[in-house]
Amino acid sequence: MSPEMPGLLVSCEWLKNALDNNTPDLVVVDVTWASTKNCREDYDKEHIPGAVFINVMDAEHTNLFPRNIPTLESFGKFARAVGINRDSHVIIYSNSHTCGFFCSGRGWWSFRIFGHSNVSVLNGGLAKWKSHGYPTTDAISTVKEDSPGHIVGAYNIPFASLVNVERMEFKSVDELKEVFSEAGVDVNKPVVGHCNSGMSSCNTVLAALLCGSPRAALYHGGFTEWKKRVPDLIEK
């Protein structure tokens, strides 16, 4: 991995080499999601060889939290079903817009908030992978019923934005710092990311940590929760 990006991001070249060398404890997870279609169908047609699929948005959504997180029990069940263990290095990718980061950031944050810190995001997602000419497959990876994963989740609450997400394919930390600076954000201080419902802002948290922020957290409820709970505290 690049020394600038110690574990939070991996390149397509890094992942291809890791897969070619059968790196142990590596689990590649497709977290592609859209509100308009079932993205599991897209995974079934084409994905990175060996990748499994998790719908990290499978949760009880409400008017206050329209993009809610799963329960701890549910998320642990999802992870164990695809063979993720406590020692697994999880590589998250998606085939969504904004260079694959729209859902990848949410997937990464979900693993972190549920206590699994050994998780990275594939820089550029499936589109970048394919642009290198790397293979895809429609073969579905399966986990033997008698050998599911053994991940044990726990809430990592302390872990639990004004950045242009169209520029979210990370090329260098200096470039990211410039984006934050242009938005008036000092990444040398704690950063709290928020959007409308806690999706895109996961990438703000990821980017802030890459830039060396001493602490970056997500306001999960976002503006949807804020405007309903404290409508008098909205600047216009």
Side-chain angles (χ1 to χ4, degrees), residues 44-175:
D44 289 344
K45 295 175 183 176
E46 181 183 45
H47 53 266
I48 293 174
V52 296
F53 183 86
I54 292 180
N55 179 5
V56 296
M57 301 305 298
D58 188 353
E60 183 178 345
H61 306 294
T62 66
N63 289 333
L64 199 60
F65 298 103
R67 299 287 181 262
N68 210 354
I69 59 175
T71 64
L72 177 61
E73 180 182 9
S74 293
F75 190 82
K77 181 179 180 181
F78 300 155
R80 289 191 296 271
V82 296
I84 295 175
N85 298 303
R86 288 184 291 269
D87 297 329
S88 296
H89 181 190
V90 177
I91 308 296
I92 299 290
Y93 82 90
S94 74
N95 192 28
S96 56
H97 59 283
T98 60
C99 304
F101 280 96
F102 174 62
C103 292
S104 294
R106 180 59 179 257
W108 165 83
W109 178 77
S110 297
F111 274 92
R112 293 294 297 262
I113 200 69
F114 287 119
H116 192 83
S117 61
N118 194 11
V119 56
S120 307
V121 172
L122 179 64
N123 194 7
L126 185 61
K128 186 73 174 288
W129 175 270
K130 291 169 63 176
S131 75
H132 283 287
Y134 295 156
T136 59
T137 183
D138 61 357
I140 306 300
S141 297
T142 58
V143 177
K144 294 180 180 179
E145 293 185 1
D146 61 348
S147 58
H150 299 286
I151 187 172
V152 178
Y155 283 115
N156 185 19
I157 296 301
F159 188 78
S161 97
L162 300 172
V163 175
N164 182 354
V165 296
E166 295 301 327
R167 297 176 59 182
M168 287 298 282
E169 182 180 348
F170 301 117
K171 294 180 173 62
S172 72
V173 170
D174 287 340
E175 183 182 59

Side-chain angles (χ1 to χ4, degrees), residues 33-49:
W33 176 88
S35 60
T36 56
K37 64 177 181 177
N38 179 6
C39 292
R40 171 64 197 236
E41 295 176 358
D42 293 339
Y43 163 83
D44 289 344
K45 295 175 183 176
E46 181 183 45
H47 53 266
I48 293 174

